[in-house]
């Protein structure tokens, strides 16, 4: 009798993993197909857009680029120059120096002829106070630049200060070390201006990996494939995530995340919902979820748009230590956001947001690493008890592996058929090789970081509310 | 043949530069072509032209940088005519500040360009 | 035999495992095929770029030769013949169009006209006109765009026919065609349009209008009274940018429009025209107006303020909105400095004082 229940339990566990795996594969397949449709439509429609018209126009709406900086003195002068070289006409750049302990401010003052100006801040969102004050350039060539020096309060707090200061209709929140292509702003603003029967609350952009690319004077001159496997594997990962996943979610109007490294927001709405949350490490995801939540509650017809063009390039971690700490932070951000807004989950009042996006994120993003670890432990136990049918396991492993590989190849196809950034001979092969190796060389670290994130969230309280640590190379792409 | 006036033409639109080359050669000038700012700098340094025609927007080195290079690095007073497109008014102003001699807004008429070139070189 | 062992092994497997193996094999085959295809695709992409470049150079030379050959001469005719032959191939047609366009964009005057003639002579025009009746929106939009780029005015009626097409892209191309080629006259479509003009469309159209200096007098009043709110907005922008003072009275009527965005824009436009009549109209029922309208009034208020408006400024220096408060105080500082000084002495509200101090220094 007892062994029978034991067997039952084992059977249930098996079925659980089987169904979970089946659903995961099914949902990925579904998203891939949706993204294929959306991509082909986007490319077709985009052919008719003459961006040069809108770029020159002084009647186009005003945008502020808000870039928080913390101890970025190494590259800050160059980075600001790149931000100032956008081709859009009606925009300004707000650099928020978030209590940096280095000489960022002095460097900026010298490079851009800055002087302190009188400034009255409309404190719509509470933030940490100013430190040295607000600076503008005396050189008319840099009239678009405002530098704010405030006391340290973290990235979210710095962005909020930028929201308070901006007098423009839209804000582009970006990481200061990002390289924006010159036509980024007009491409990102387009969804806002095109909508007639609904409101666009935010547009998300793609993050591309700039490692090994040739950059001069804030311009991307040449796209190269980096040498290290960890960098290449991330390129593939980003392609999968941005060209397949997000593209599909944008079609379903279910995007929950806009990359903190580059997103454009309707400022009025962002302020109305209270700006960025300073208490989470996942402030980029949390803001979007909150904005969507408020829209749903106010019954406004809205959309979160997405532009798949390669507009924003940034350095990705090139060693495992930084990579793990970055992913650890993303994991905690996801957990916190989902927890803060658990009211939305499985709640038909929130429409597709509650019934589709939220559950997907919970089950396949938030819980996947946990299930995976449980699976591994379970398998180890079976192995020790000598219960493993190795030939059966081989069947499942090969299915899982081949499916992952197929998804990566689909992402490579998507890239080749649309933007084809990696033009050089031999890079196609390198990408393929990466796709073949990635499950072995990168995935274990992704899994480890996710587990660490969970551990830190539940057991390491000090880190939970800790000040965001920004490494020179650190980026936020989720 | 030595007394042919030399012109360096920096323009990344290959069709336009071919058209202008034919037209100006017909008028009796010797043309040196450059597809980008970098090549233009090389052509200028090796050929010491009597006139420089350059587009404002070019890959690698922009027309503005080109002007600044000619005026400040080479310390040359060679006349420079810049081509600009709609919406680049700000750049045209900068070009004049850097020492451009004249400018032509695209789309322009090649005949008009020839007239201006002749006037400057006569 | 090895193979038999394999088959026997497979046959004894449970159903589920069989399924897993079958799917794995299918995936494996798909992967192999797509890898090979990817290789072919990348190679072809690289080669075709080189091939295209070669053709571009060839057609460029022919085009230039055509343009500098004497009209009606042997050489010109032989080039026309050659190109006419080439356009039967779709890929070559595309490249020829690209070369023509590349030059036409940068050139004006007689050479631009010559390019246009060549476009007709080699038969490209017929291909474009055929596209207008196509089923697929994409083809129609492409055709209209091409006719716009080559400045083909005779297609006017056929294109205007598509003004309410179900595809947004086609509609946009129709509008751009009309306004690019016929400027203000092309705006006649505003009477016919039943869909919304997005802000993006409006900006593009205004850009095109601004580029053409021949600003004819068009009467925009019918559009200011349109039932289509987006058309009203667009006409307001036209009135603003092209300084149409003569329609001011019609714009004043829009202060009572049902749409908040239109009322707000009307205030901004009238303010820009420094119209004094509307000021009292807005001030008198200021309380009932939306925050957007109130902000709009204060944005354009400065040149309109007279000494009689002091009560109004004083009243709204305590408005709940930051910008309105700040602007009201700034105007008080300019128009009645003694009142402003009095404020500074008497207030004990920290935030208020901060604002006053800021204004004193600026």
């Amino acid at each position: 009798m007892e062994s029978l229940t034991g067997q039952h339990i084992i059977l249930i566990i098996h079925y659980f993993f089987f169904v979970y795996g089946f659903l995961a594969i099914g949902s990925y397949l579904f998203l891939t197909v949706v993204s294929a449709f959306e991509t082909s439509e986007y490319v077709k429609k985009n052919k008719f857009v003459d961006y040069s018209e809108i770029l020159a126009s002084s009647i186009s709406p005003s945008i502020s680029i808000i870039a928080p900086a913390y101890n970025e003195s190494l590259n800050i002068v160059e980075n600001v120059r790149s931000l100032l070289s956008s081709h859009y006409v009606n925009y300004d750049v707000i650099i928020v120096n978030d209590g940096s302990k280095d000489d960022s401010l002095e460097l900026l003052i010298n490079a851009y002829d800055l002087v302190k100006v009188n400034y009255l801040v409309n404190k719509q969102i509470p933030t940490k106070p100013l430190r040295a004050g607000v600076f503008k350039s005396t050189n008319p060539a840099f009239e678009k630049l405002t530098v704010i020096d405030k006391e340290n309060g973290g990235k979210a707090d710095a962005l909020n200060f930028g929201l308070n200061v901006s007098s423009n209709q839209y804000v582009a929140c970006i990481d200061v070390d990002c390289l924006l292509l010159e036509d980024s702003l007009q491409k990102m603003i387009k969804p806002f201006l095109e909508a007639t029967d609904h409101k666009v609350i935010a547009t998300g952009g793609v993050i591309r990996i700039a490692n090994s690319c040739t950059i001069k004077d804030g311009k991307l001159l040449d796209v190269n494939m980096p040498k290290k496997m960890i960098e290449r594997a991330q390129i593939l990962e980003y392609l999968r995530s941005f060209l397949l996943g997000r593209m599909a979610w944008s079609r379903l109007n279910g995007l929950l995340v806009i990359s903190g490294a580059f997103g454009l927001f309707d400022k009025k709405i962002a302020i109305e919902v209270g700006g960025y949350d300073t208490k989470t490490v996942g402030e980029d995801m949390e803001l979007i979820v909150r904005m969507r939540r408020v829209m749903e509650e106010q019954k406004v017809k809205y959309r979160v748009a997405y532009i798949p063009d390669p507009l924003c390039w940034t350095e990705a971690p090139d060693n495992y230590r930084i990579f793990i700490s970055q992913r650890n932070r993303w994991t905690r951000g996801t957990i916190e956001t989902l927890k803060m807004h658990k009211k939305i989950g499985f709640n038909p009042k929130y429409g597709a947001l509650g019934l589709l996006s939220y559950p997907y994120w919970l089950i396949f993003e938030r819980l996947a690493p946990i299930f995976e670890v449980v699976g591994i432990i379970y398998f180890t136990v079976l192995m020790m008890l000598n219960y493993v049918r190795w030939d059966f396991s081989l069947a499942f492993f090969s299915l899982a592996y081949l499916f992952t590989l197929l998804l990566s190849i689909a992402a490579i196809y998507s890239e080749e058929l649309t933007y084809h950034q990696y033009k050089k001979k031999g890079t196609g092969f390198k990408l393929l090789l990466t796709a073949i190796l990635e499950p072995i060389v990168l995935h274990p670290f992704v899994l480890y970081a996710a587990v660490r994130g969970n551990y830190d969230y539940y057991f390491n309280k000090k880190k939970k509310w800790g000040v965001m640590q920004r490494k020179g190379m650190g980026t936020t792409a989720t | 043949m030595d007394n042919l006036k030399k012109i360096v033409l920096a323009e990344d639109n290959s069709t336009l530069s071919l058209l202008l080359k034919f037209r100006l050669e017909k008028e009796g000038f010797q043309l040196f072509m450059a597809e980008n700012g970098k090549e233009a700098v090389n052509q200028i340094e090796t050929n010491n032209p009597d006139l420089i025609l350059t587009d404002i927007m070019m890959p690698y080195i922009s027309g503005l940088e080109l002007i600044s290079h000619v005026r400040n690095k080479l310390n040359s007073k060679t006349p420079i005519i810049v081509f600009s497109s709609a919406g680049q008014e700000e750049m045209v102003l900068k070009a004049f500040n850097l020492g451009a001699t004249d400018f032509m807004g695209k789309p322009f008429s090649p005949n008009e360009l020839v007239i201006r070139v002749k006037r400057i070189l006569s | 035999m090895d193979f038999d062992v394999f088959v026997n092994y497979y046959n004894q497997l449970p159903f589920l495992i069989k399924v897993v193996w079958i799917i794995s094999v299918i995936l494996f085959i798909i992967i192999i095929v797509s890898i090979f295809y990817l290789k072919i695709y990348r190679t072809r992409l690289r080669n075709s770029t080189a091939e295209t470049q070669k053709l571009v150079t060839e057609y460029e030379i022919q085009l230039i030769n055509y343009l500098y050959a004497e009209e009606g001469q042997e050489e010109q005719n032989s080039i026309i013949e050659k190109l006419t032959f080439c356009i039967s191939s779709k890929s070559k047609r595309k490249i020829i169009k690209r070369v023509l366009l590349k030059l036409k964009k940068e050139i004006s005057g007689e050479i631009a006209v010559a390019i246009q003639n060549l476009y007709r002579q080699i038969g490209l025009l017929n291909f474009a006109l055929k596209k207008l009746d196509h089923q697929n929106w994409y083809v129609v939009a492409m055709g209209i765009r091409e006719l716009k780029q080559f400045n083909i005015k005779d297609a006017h009626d056929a294109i205007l026919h598509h003004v309410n097409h179900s595809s947004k892209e086609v509609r946009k191309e129709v509008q751009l065609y009309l306004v690019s080629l016929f400027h203000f006259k092309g705006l006649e479509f505003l009477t016919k349009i039943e869909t919304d003009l997005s802000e993006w469309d409006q900006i593009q159209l205004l850009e095109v209008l601004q580029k053409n200096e021949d600003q004819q007098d068009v009467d925009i009043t019918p559009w200011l009274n349109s039932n289509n709110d987006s058309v009203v907005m667009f006409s307001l922008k036209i009135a603003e940018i092209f300084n149409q003072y003569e329609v001011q009275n019609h714009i004043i009527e829009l202060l009572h429009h049902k749409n908040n965005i239109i009322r707000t824009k009307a205030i901004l436009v009238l303010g820009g025209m420094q119209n004094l009549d509307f000021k009292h109209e807005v001030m008198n029922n200021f309380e009932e107006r939306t925050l957007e309208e109130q902000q709009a009034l204060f944005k354009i208020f400065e040149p309109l303020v007279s000494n009689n408006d002091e009560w109004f400024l004083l009243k709204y220096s305590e408005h709940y909105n930051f910008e309105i408060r700040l602007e009201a105080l700034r105007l008080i500082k300019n128009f009645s400095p003694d009142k402003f000084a009095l404020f500074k002495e008497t207030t004990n509200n920290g935030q208020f004082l901060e604002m006053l101090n800021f204004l004193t220094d600026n």
Side-chain angles (χ1 to χ4, degrees):
Chain A
M1 206 48 196
E2 225 189 76
S3 78
L4 197 66
T5 27
Q7 269 181 1
H8 273 133
I9 291 171
I10 288 180
L11 206 62
I12 290 170
I13 295 177
H14 286 183
Y15 272 108
F16 171 78
F17 277 114
F18 186 76
V19 170
Y20 184 78
F22 178 78
L23 283 178
I25 287 183
S27 68
Y28 287 139
L29 268 183
F30 173 70
L31 289 176
T32 306
V33 173
V34 173
S35 89
F37 276 106
E38 178 69 4
T39 307
S40 87
E41 206 178 291
Y42 176 83
V43 170
K44 262 185 173 176
K45 288 192 171 162
N46 212 37
K47 274 213 176 126
F48 293 103
V49 187
D50 190 352
Y51 287 102
S52 63
E53 301 276 351
I54 198 109
L55 113 184
S57 177
S58 51
I59 15 177
S60 51
S62 52
I63 306 176
S64 291
I65 295 181
I66 304 177
Y70 180 66
N71 292 347
E72 299 269 1
S73 69
L74 202 59
N75 292 316
I76 187 119
V77 172
E78 274 299 294
N79 292 336
V80 170
R81 196 174 299 275
S82 147
L83 294 181
L84 286 171
S85 64
S86 172
H87 280 173
Y88 197 76
V89 174
N90 208 352
Y91 85 109
D92 60 17
V93 176
I94 300 170
I95 306 291
V96 187
N97 187 26
D98 188 36
S100 294
K101 296 190 183 74
D102 60 8
D103 55 349
S104 298
L105 183 65
E106 287 71 39
L107 289 174
L108 286 174
I109 289 176
N110 291 333
Y112 297 103
D113 313 320
L114 300 179
V115 289
K116 198 177 159 189
V117 292
N118 253 316
Y119 207 94
L120 188 65
V121 182
N122 182 3
K123 300 181 190 96
Q124 302 157 88
I125 309 168
T127 58
K128 287 268 158 55
L130 284 172
R131 187 173 64 177
V134 178
F135 295 82
K136 300 275 292 175
S137 178
T138 50
N139 183 342
F142 307 124
E143 63 176 3
K144 288 185 157 68
L145 179 65
T146 305
V147 174
I148 287 158
D149 189 69
K150 66 181 272 290
E151 284 174 19
N152 184 278
K155 189 175 170 186
D157 193 65
L159 287 166
N160 284 339
F161 207 106
L163 282 171
N164 282 341
V165 166
S166 164
S167 55
N168 292 344
Q169 216 176 334
Y170 298 96
V171 288
C173 296
I174 82 157
D175 281 353
V176 75
D177 57 354
C178 278
L179 178 96
L180 287 192
L181 297 197
E182 290 145 338
D183 54 354
S184 313
L185 292 179
Q186 49 264 35
K187 285 193 173 162
M188 294 282 283
I189 193 78
K190 183 166 170 258
F192 290 94
L193 304 182
E194 267 192 329
T196 49
D197 57 347
H198 60 273
K199 202 165 178 57
V200 171
I201 56 172
T203 306
V206 168
I207 311 302
R208 290 288 189 131
I209 292 180
N211 300 31
S212 297
C213 294
T214 320
I215 292 169
K216 201 190 142 221
D217 297 335
K219 278 190 194 130
L220 180 73
L221 296 182
D222 200 11
V223 178
N224 294 312
M225 185 62 72
K227 291 223 161 48
K228 283 191 194 165
M229 194 40 98
I230 181 178
E231 299 169 290
R232 285 187 190 173
Q234 286 178 84
I235 289 184
L236 196 65
E237 210 193 358
Y238 279 40
L239 287 182
R240 260 199 329 256
S241 148
F242 284 108
L243 293 184
L244 299 185
R246 299 221 182 157
M247 201 65 195
W249 280 114
S250 105
R251 173 67 179 239
L252 304 169
N253 193 15
L255 270 181
L256 279 199
V257 183
I258 277 184
S259 163
F262 187 31
L264 192 60
F265 299 84
D266 183 313
K267 189 187 75 179
K268 205 172 143 226
I269 300 176
I271 289 177
E272 267 169 15
V273 303
Y276 284 94
D277 187 330
T278 50
K279 290 197 215 63
T280 170
V281 287
E283 72 286 329
D284 42 5
M285 176 176 186
E286 200 279 332
L287 178 65
I288 289 296
V289 175
R290 188 149 33 89
M291 283 171 83
R292 295 194 77 123
R293 183 177 171 172
V294 171
M295 290 294 119
E296 294 282 353
E297 282 166 0
Q298 294 178 351
K299 304 220 182 318
V300 177
K301 217 174 151 201
Y302 74 100
R303 239 177 85 77
V304 174
Y306 174 71
I307 296 294
D309 300 34
L311 300 177
C312 175
W313 295 72
T314 190
E315 293 280 330
D318 64 348
N319 68 58
Y320 284 106
R321 195 178 52 81
I322 296 175
F323 176 77
I324 288 169
S325 98
Q326 178 198 46
R327 296 303 162 101
N328 178 330
R329 183 155 39 82
W330 293 3
T331 305
R332 281 180 285 134
T334 307
I335 300 175
E336 283 166 2
T337 306
L338 291 177
K339 206 171 169 191
M340 283 160 93
H341 296 282
K342 60 174 176 250
K343 193 184 161 198
I344 295 173
F346 307 97
N347 188 342
K349 257 202 280 182
Y350 292 93
L353 178 64
L355 297 178
L356 211 64
S357 300
Y358 189 99
Y360 176 87
W361 270 83
L362 182 67
I363 297 170
F364 297 115
E365 298 280 341
R366 160 77 183 90
L367 294 175
I370 293 179
F371 288 151
E372 194 174 344
V373 170
V374 172
I376 291 171
I377 294 170
Y378 179 68
F379 189 76
T380 321
V381 171
L382 288 188
M383 215 158 66
M384 288 193 298
L385 298 174
N386 227 349
Y387 277 157
V388 178
R389 276 290 300 262
W390 285 103
D391 55 338
F392 289 7
S393 313
L394 182 68
F396 281 107
F397 278 131
S398 69
L399 179 64
Y401 176 77
L402 289 172
F403 184 73
T404 317
L405 184 55
L406 188 66
L407 272 187
S408 297
I409 289 178
I412 296 175
Y413 261 88
S414 184
E415 157 74 2
E416 290 298 323
L417 295 175
T418 52
Y419 302 109
H420 189 52
Q421 296 287 310
Y422 298 95
K423 294 190 181 67
K424 291 185 184 149
K425 209 173 169 180
T427 44
F429 175 72
K430 284 178 194 160
L431 270 176
L432 266 178
L433 190 69
T434 314
I436 292 168
L437 293 177
E438 192 220 319
I440 310 157
V441 297
L442 192 73
H443 184 71
F445 293 94
V446 174
L447 184 62
Y448 171 72
V451 172
R452 275 291 297 272
N454 272 280
Y455 174 82
D456 286 344
Y457 177 75
Y458 289 107
F459 304 112
N460 196 350
K461 295 290 176 191
K462 197 174 69 191
K463 206 161 192 176
K464 191 174 156 191
W465 303 128
V467 183
M468 189 198 69
Q469 37 183 345
R470 263 183 81 83
K471 298 283 186 294
M473 295 282 180
T475 70
T476 326
T478 291
Chain B
M1 284 304 275
D2 267 357
N3 50 13
L4 277 187
K5 296 262 185 178
K6 289 186 279 190
I7 300 178
V8 166
L9 170 60
E11 165 62 58
D12 60 340
N13 180 334
S14 55
T15 321
L16 178 64
S17 69
L18 195 64
L19 178 92
L20 297 180
K21 178 173 188 269
F22 270 50
R23 187 78 170 81
L24 290 166
E25 279 177 350
K26 231 173 154 187
E27 300 289 335
F29 300 108
Q30 191 181 3
L31 267 284
F32 299 92
M33 315 299 288
E35 269 176 39
N36 57 52
K38 226 187 231 164
E39 281 178 29
V41 168
N42 288 339
Q43 294 280 28
I44 293 166
E45 287 176 358
T46 40
N47 296 312
N48 189 24
D50 301 288
L51 173 69
I52 299 165
L53 304 175
T54 175
D55 194 28
I56 273 195
M57 296 283 255
M58 273 185 305
Y60 300 113
I61 297 181
S62 78
L64 294 180
E65 286 169 90
L66 184 77
I67 302 172
S68 147
H69 185 85
V70 171
R71 292 286 182 264
N72 302 327
K73 289 265 163 60
L74 305 180
N75 275 324
S76 144
K77 292 212 169 73
T78 315
I80 302 176
I81 303 182
V82 288
F83 305 151
S84 72
S85 303
Q88 297 176 342
E89 288 74 15
E90 244 175 85
M91 291 232 220
V92 172
L93 287 181
K94 279 186 196 159
F96 275 119
N97 283 337
L98 286 167
T101 318
D102 199 354
F103 96 99
M104 298 208 53
K106 284 178 180 177
F108 60 73
S109 143
N111 289 339
E112 195 186 327
L113 177 74
V114 170
I115 293 169
R116 293 202 197 191
V117 167
K118 279 184 175 165
R119 204 186 56 207
I120 289 177
L121 288 182
S122 63
Chain C
M1 243 178 73
D2 279 1
F3 193 67
D4 280 341
V5 177
F6 212 64
V7 172
N8 287 337
Y9 168 75
Y10 177 78
N11 283 333
Q12 55 84 40
L13 285 173
F15 173 70
L16 203 62
I17 305 295
K18 275 185 187 162
V19 173
V20 170
W21 273 124
I22 291 171
I23 299 177
S24 293
V25 170
I26 294 173
L27 287 185
F28 186 73
I29 294 170
I30 296 177
I31 287 171
I32 294 296
V33 171
S34 31
I35 287 177
F36 270 104
Y37 185 72
L38 191 66
K39 169 80 191 144
I40 296 170
Y41 178 78
R42 276 185 69 96
T43 316
R44 211 199 293 155
L45 209 60
R46 253 201 317 276
N47 291 345
S48 84
T49 324
E51 178 70 13
T52 309
Q53 196 44 51
K54 221 183 84 194
L55 285 174
V56 167
T57 320
E58 190 192 318
Y59 295 142
E60 268 173 358
I61 293 173
Q62 294 196 351
L63 171 63
I64 308 292
N65 283 335
Y66 169 87
L67 292 174
Y68 285 132
E70 295 289 316
E71 193 154 340
Q73 265 192 351
E74 191 88 359
E75 197 185 352
Q76 249 194 2
N77 291 334
S78 88
I79 292 172
I80 293 175
E81 228 166 81
K82 247 187 257 164
L83 292 179
T84 314
F85 177 72
C86 286
I87 65 159
S88 53
S89 141
K90 198 176 168 189
S91 60
K92 286 183 182 167
R93 189 157 72 227
K94 242 186 182 160
I95 298 172
I96 294 176
K97 266 189 294 197
R98 221 175 75 194
V99 171
L100 294 186
L101 211 56
K102 204 168 132 196
L103 188 58
K104 189 170 178 302
K105 267 196 318 209
E106 314 268 44
I107 288 293
S108 63
E110 45 194 272
I111 291 189
V113 177
I115 295 172
Q116 223 167 293
N117 287 339
L118 184 64
Y119 175 81
R120 283 171 192 269
Q121 277 171 322
I122 61 178
L124 283 171
L125 175 60
N126 292 332
F127 278 101
L129 289 174
K130 253 184 241 155
K131 287 184 180 174
L132 297 183
D133 299 320
H134 204 276
Q135 293 289 320
N136 189 339
W137 68 263
Y138 178 73
V139 181
V140 180
M142 277 297 202
I144 300 175
R145 186 171 69 157
E146 194 179 315
L147 293 166
K148 173 192 76 186
Q149 287 165 329
F150 285 101
N151 212 6
I152 306 296
K153 291 191 176 172
D154 355 342
H156 174 271
D157 295 353
I159 289 178
L160 186 63
H161 174 72
H162 286 302
V163 71
N164 286 317
H165 196 277
S166 58
S167 147
K168 197 163 73 181
E169 271 65 32
V170 173
R171 294 198 302 265
K172 188 157 56 187
E173 289 306 319
V174 170
Q175 295 156 13
L176 282 173
Y177 169 89
L178 292 170
V179 173
S180 305
L181 268 53
F182 302 94
H183 316 151
F184 277 90
K185 272 212 185 96
L187 287 174
E188 71 202 331
F189 79 87
L190 290 174
T191 353
K192 295 203 170 73
I193 191 168
E194 287 156 14
T195 48
D196 282 339
L197 273 178
S198 74
E199 217 182 317
W200 180 272
D201 299 337
Q202 297 179 24
I203 292 174
Q204 285 200 306
L205 294 175
L206 290 170
E207 264 317 296
V208 177
L209 287 174
Q210 275 180 299
K211 261 184 216 154
N212 295 295
E213 280 130 27
D214 58 324
Q215 286 172 23
Q216 284 159 342
D217 274 329
V218 273
D219 182 16
I220 65 165
T221 30
W223 307 324
L224 283 173
N225 299 325
S226 170
N227 290 325
N228 184 335
D229 284 2
S230 66
V231 171
V232 180
M233 264 315 264
F234 183 55
S235 327
L236 278 171
K237 287 179 195 165
I238 293 179
E240 182 181 30
I241 292 171
F242 300 102
N243 296 317
Q244 303 229 334
Y245 292 104
E246 60 278 12
V247 293
Q248 286 184 76
N249 290 331
H250 290 276
I251 300 180
I252 289 180
E253 281 166 31
L254 293 177
L255 293 174
H256 303 290
H257 198 276
K258 60 187 186 310
N259 187 334
N260 177 32
I261 303 173
I262 290 180
R263 292 194 306 267
T264 308
K265 185 72 190 175
I267 294 175
L268 291 173
V269 175
L270 289 167
M273 293 175 173
Q274 312 223 343
N275 180 304
L276 287 171
D277 302 335
F278 89 107
K279 186 177 86 176
H280 296 285
E281 181 136 11
V282 178
M283 280 165 66
N284 288 339
N285 50 16
F286 193 74
E287 296 286 333
E288 287 99 72
R289 296 202 172 261
T290 60
L291 178 62
E292 286 82 13
E293 293 170 73
Q294 297 180 345
Q295 281 177 315
L297 181 70
F298 271 94
K299 220 178 254 169
I300 46 92
F301 209 24
E302 185 165 11
L304 308 178
V305 174
S306 66
N307 289 329
N308 300 331
D309 299 330
E310 200 184 279
W311 66 273
F312 188 78
L313 297 176
L314 287 175
K315 184 168 176 195
Y316 292 106
S317 64
E318 284 168 33
H319 196 277
Y320 66 92
N321 178 274
F322 179 88
E323 275 102 23
I324 292 183
R325 220 158 52 222
L326 186 64
E327 183 62 16
L329 282 174
R330 202 176 65 81
L331 294 175
I332 292 174
K333 181 189 140 192
N334 292 350
F335 284 90
S336 30
D338 31 321
K339 274 268 162 42
F340 187 80
L342 193 70
F343 266 160
K344 251 181 110 174
E345 280 165 31
T346 50
T347 185
N348 47 17
N349 178 335
Q351 273 188 346
F352 195 54
L353 190 65
E354 193 185 359
M355 206 176 251
L356 294 172
N357 285 334
F358 168 76
L359 286 169
T360 317
D361 297 338
N362 282 280

